[in-house]
Amino acid sequence: FSLWSGSIWRGKLTLLCDAKTDGSFLVHHFLSFYLKANCKVCFVALIQSFSHYNIVGQKLGVSLTTARERGQLVFLEGLKSSVDVFFRSQEEPHPLQFLREANTGNLQPLFEFVREALKPGDNAEAAWRCPVLLVDDLSVLLSLGVGAVAVLDFIHYCRATVCCELKGNIVTLVHDSGDAEDEENDVLLNGLSHQSHLILRAEGLATGFCRDVHGQLRILWRRPSQLTAQRDRSLTYQYKIQDKSVSFFAKGMSPAVL
Amino acid sequence: MPRPFHPEGAGQLSVTPSESVRRGAERELEMLESLLALGGLVLLRDSVEWEGRSLLKALIKKSAAWLVYHDLFRDPLNWSKTGEALPEGPLGALRAMCRRTNPGPVTIALDSLSWLLLHLPCTTLCQTLHALSHQDSCPGNSTPVEPVHVLGLLHEELHGPGPVGALSSLAQAEVTLSGAMGQASAHILYRRPRQRPTHQTQWFSILPDFSLDLQRGPPLELQRHADPHTPPVDPTTQLTFNLHLSKEEKEAKDSLTLPFQFSSEKQQALLRPGPSQATSRIFYEPDAYDDLDQEDPDDDLDV
């Protein structure tokens, strides 16, 4: 995990994925991590309200309100601004414009919003380190009627701008429907997996719910680089979510069972 | 000028000064030669776990002395509307390549076919690929043209069996990537014209400078697992209790008949109750206070 704090980890797409469990703890972790690392963060938060992320962030040691006020955090609160779409005139572009269109075309307005938020400013706010785009989450866009290919195109353009041009990072969460046979979601998940450099997959334990081990985290490095030897491509840890942190341990080595 | 490439391997391989002659170079060239010798489409099928882009880059590096990079990554759908993007997008670019005038050998690498499949109808893509790889049969072209090699990267999980099957039938060679124990392997299927399809499995790894390092066989641990001479570990050796039976105990155990097991002897015994059978009987002697009333044996009816 110290891998991400180095300056070599830039221009990468990290895919968070959860199957039969809730992987949002990873989103909170990355949000607080990048804010503490003094990066400029654009957070497209479609699932929860700002205060929810703020409360969890405070437990992890960051204040989202402060970060937003001083311009480090650009926060798109999906729940609130989705209502604004309908009370605006149609000419004004809105990031969530697709909610209003009958045939959901593409997510270009959302991409324009992200690009505008993360473009380097001309004044001395170059104090921020690399820009970061965080999306929570992409699966909900499918539920809102956007096609999987449109979401993949959105991430493609974000990668071109945020990762390649601005040398920043993208972290996004997608749910794995598992047996539910959601074809669109599978195309989205697989398409994103192929575009990612690192995949973190939180899974529930195969044997069911457990009080002391909340789940299992699989780490897969997709693009071999100088950082990873061929053997270290894939790792598995088990974890337990606590109030202010998450503790990780090797499989079967939970302190509760030893 | 693209480097001359003689597919029959008649010894006319020109080696540029930057390459050093290595021992493995022969076998490496053999695999690549056979992949690139056939004009037409070479399909690289990869998956999330075993990615194929590194192999594609290795093949590009080997086959081309002169690389032209068409940047369709930055703005494939013309969202920026600056006029920099190619009109008609990637399909237009591909179609433009169909009308080439240079007779030299050309290798076209597509990263990725999956992107094209998701954005274009399958039929359009197949027609364009067919036109691309069969340019030597262009009418009105008197000089014989060197075959075009097309390398396409396809992500298997993204598409249904229909489109994948269609592209696979267009391909002269298919390389499916998989692996074990952190070592990648390529399963190559050659479809040479007028010959039976042939298979080959090659274990390999890609070095940081995108050169191919071919391995002779599967990784060591995999071979060891297949070794029948290693004795399995006996779990009963280090216990605090005894799991073994002595000879007498074994005999007693084997000769024990289970009470509810219906053997033929038991069946015979039940069908013919002989005098040797000790059946149980109840002997009851009523004393003075017993009043055996058949209609009320428990004496609790309030009649």
Side-chain angles (χ1 to χ4, degrees):
Chain A
F1 286 58
S2 58
L3 200 59
W4 299 317
S5 53
S7 55
I8 5 176
W9 191 262
R10 292 185 63 158
K12 309 282 187 216
L13 169 62
T14 303
L15 177 66
L16 308 175
C17 154
D18 60 16
K20 294 197 177 124
T21 188
D22 182 16
S24 56
F25 71 96
L26 290 167
V27 174
H28 294 298
H29 161 76
F30 276 102
L31 177 61
S32 62
F33 172 77
Y34 280 118
L35 283 176
K36 282 189 208 169
N38 229 15
C39 294
K40 176 139 191 204
V41 177
C42 172
F43 190 6
V44 176
L46 303 170
I47 301 294
Q48 302 278 9
S49 65
F50 177 80
S51 50
H52 172 90
Y53 293 106
N54 198 17
I55 290 169
V56 181
Q58 274 167 5
K59 288 190 189 171
L60 297 175
V62 287
S63 164
L64 297 193
T65 328
T66 319
R68 188 163 63 168
E69 274 161 16
R70 59 182 189 171
Q72 188 191 8
L73 172 66
V74 177
F75 195 95
L76 174 64
E77 189 171 354
L79 292 172
K80 211 165 73 167
S81 63
S82 57
V83 186
D84 292 340
V85 179
F86 298 99
F87 294 117
R88 276 194 187 200
S89 68
Q90 209 146 0
E91 287 78 31
E92 293 173 37
H94 189 280
L96 302 180
Q97 190 75 21
F98 63 89
L99 289 172
R100 211 171 162 165
E101 292 161 9
N103 307 339
T104 44
N106 56 31
L107 291 171
Q108 187 176 354
L110 187 58
F111 163 67
E112 303 287 352
F113 170 81
V114 170
R115 194 176 58 169
E116 195 60 34
L118 289 178
K119 71 174 186 202
D122 15 278
N123 52 7
E125 61 161 68
W128 309 126
R129 285 167 75 183
C130 65
V132 175
L133 168 65
L134 190 55
V135 185
D136 181 20
D137 59 45
L138 288 175
S139 294
V140 76
L141 291 173
L142 297 180
S143 310
L144 291 170
V146 185
V149 180
V151 181
L152 286 174
D153 288 338
F154 163 68
I155 292 292
H156 178 108
Y157 271 89
C158 288
R159 259 201 316 142
T161 308
V162 178
C163 293
C164 299
E165 198 184 308
L166 301 174
K167 301 281 185 286
N169 291 334
I170 302 182
V171 180
T172 170
L173 175 66
V174 176
H175 299 298
D176 186 359
S177 50
D179 302 328
E181 293 207 20
D182 185 349
E183 280 181 24
E184 286 272 297
N185 198 49
D186 288 341
V187 169
L188 176 62
L189 179 60
N190 288 322
L192 278 178
S193 304
H194 278 283
Q195 291 188 34
S196 325
H197 297 88
L198 172 65
I199 303 178
L200 295 178
R201 199 180 148 89
E203 299 166 341
L205 295 176
T207 43
F209 178 72
C210 170
R211 196 184 52 182
D212 297 300
V213 179
H214 289 151
Q216 181 163 288
L217 186 71
R218 281 210 283 162
I219 306 174
L220 178 65
W221 274 275
R222 284 209 75 243
R223 312 279 182 91
S225 61
Q226 294 86 346
L227 298 170
T228 57
Q230 197 72 349
R231 285 293 158 85
D232 299 336
R233 289 175 67 249
S234 164
L235 291 173
T236 307
Y237 291 103
Q238 290 180 337
Y239 62 85
K240 177 178 180 179
I241 304 177
Q242 289 154 333
D243 189 45
K244 294 197 177 178
S245 65
V246 180
S247 55
F248 290 91
F249 33 86
K251 270 165 105 158
M253 305 291 271
S254 158
V257 300
L258 282 176
Chain B
M1 271 291 284
R3 183 170 53 181
F5 196 94
H6 294 265
E8 298 310 314
Q12 281 247 9
L13 231 38
S14 67
V15 178
T16 59
S18 58
E19 282 180 20
S20 56
V21 177
R22 288 166 290 141
R23 274 191 62 188
E26 266 180 43
R27 287 179 52 235
E28 185 179 330
L29 289 171
E30 189 186 293
M31 172 185 170
L32 295 169
E33 254 188 54
S34 46
L35 270 182
L36 298 169
L38 320 157
L41 175 63
V42 175
L43 202 59
L44 281 180
R45 295 163 69 148
D46 74 347
S47 57
V48 172
E49 218 194 318
W50 300 99
E51 56 100 22
R53 192 165 282 122
S54 321
L55 182 60
L56 181 68
K57 289 179 187 170
L59 289 173
I60 294 172
K61 181 183 163 180
K62 250 320 175 185
S63 72
W66 186 39
L67 189 65
V68 178
Y69 183 74
H70 295 268
D71 184 9
L72 294 159
F73 172 72
R74 204 185 300 260
D75 192 4
L77 302 171
N78 203 15
W79 279 3
S80 61
K81 296 197 171 27
T82 53
E84 279 178 17
L86 302 157
E88 297 176 42
L91 184 60
L94 274 182
R95 284 187 171 145
M97 282 186 225
C98 289
R99 298 184 291 270
R100 65 175 185 146
T101 48
N102 183 6
V106 170
T107 304
I108 304 175
L110 296 169
D111 181 9
S112 59
L113 282 175
S114 286
W115 194 96
L116 292 167
L117 253 188
L118 285 177
H119 290 84
L120 303 169
C122 183
T123 47
T124 315
L125 180 62
C126 288
Q127 283 164 359
T128 315
L129 282 177
H130 185 86
L132 254 186
S133 41
H134 287 79
Q135 291 184 42
D136 43 324
S137 53
C138 269
N141 202 346
S142 54
T143 55
V145 186
E146 293 265 7
V148 177
H149 313 293
V150 182
L151 300 171
L153 181 62
L154 186 69
H155 306 308
E156 286 197 296
E157 305 106 328
L158 291 181
H159 313 287
V164 174
L167 285 175
S168 153
S169 62
L170 273 181
Q172 260 67 52
E174 263 180 69
V175 183
T176 308
L177 286 147
S178 64
M181 310 267 188
Q183 183 74 48
S185 74
H187 179 86
I188 311 173
L189 170 67
Y190 298 97
R191 282 202 197 88
R192 294 188 181 88
R194 296 182 293 276
Q195 282 181 37
R196 273 188 16 219
T198 50
H199 299 257
Q200 182 191 353
T201 304
Q202 179 69 58
W203 295 82
F204 69 94
S205 58
I206 311 269
L207 302 171
D209 67 344
F210 292 113
S211 47
L212 265 184
D213 179 26
L214 299 180
Q215 252 88 52
R216 293 195 173 275
L220 230 47
E221 285 81 15
L222 201 63
Q223 289 171 4
R224 227 181 288 141
H225 278 266
D227 188 358
H229 296 299
T230 51
V233 177
D234 186 10
T236 59
T237 44
Q238 288 172 10
L239 295 169
T240 54
F241 46 88
N242 181 25
L243 272 183
H244 300 285
L245 293 172
S246 70
K247 193 157 167 290
E248 294 84 16
E249 287 168 338
K250 259 201 204 124
E251 280 173 11
K253 179 185 165 197
D254 288 337
S255 61
L256 177 68
T257 50
L258 297 173
F260 299 106
Q261 196 172 9
F262 204 57
S263 63
S264 58
E265 293 100 2
K266 204 160 182 175
Q267 191 180 19
Q268 295 302 316
L270 283 172
L271 286 174
R272 284 179 250 274
S276 58
Q277 279 289 335
T279 54
S280 57
R281 291 172 59 193
I282 301 174
F283 298 92
Y284 175 63
E285 286 181 7
D287 58 5
Y289 301 101
D290 274 334
D291 180 16
L292 264 172
D293 182 2
Q294 287 300 341
E295 299 205 335
D296 184 14
D298 295 327
D299 203 16
D300 57 359
L301 289 176
D302 191 14
V303 177

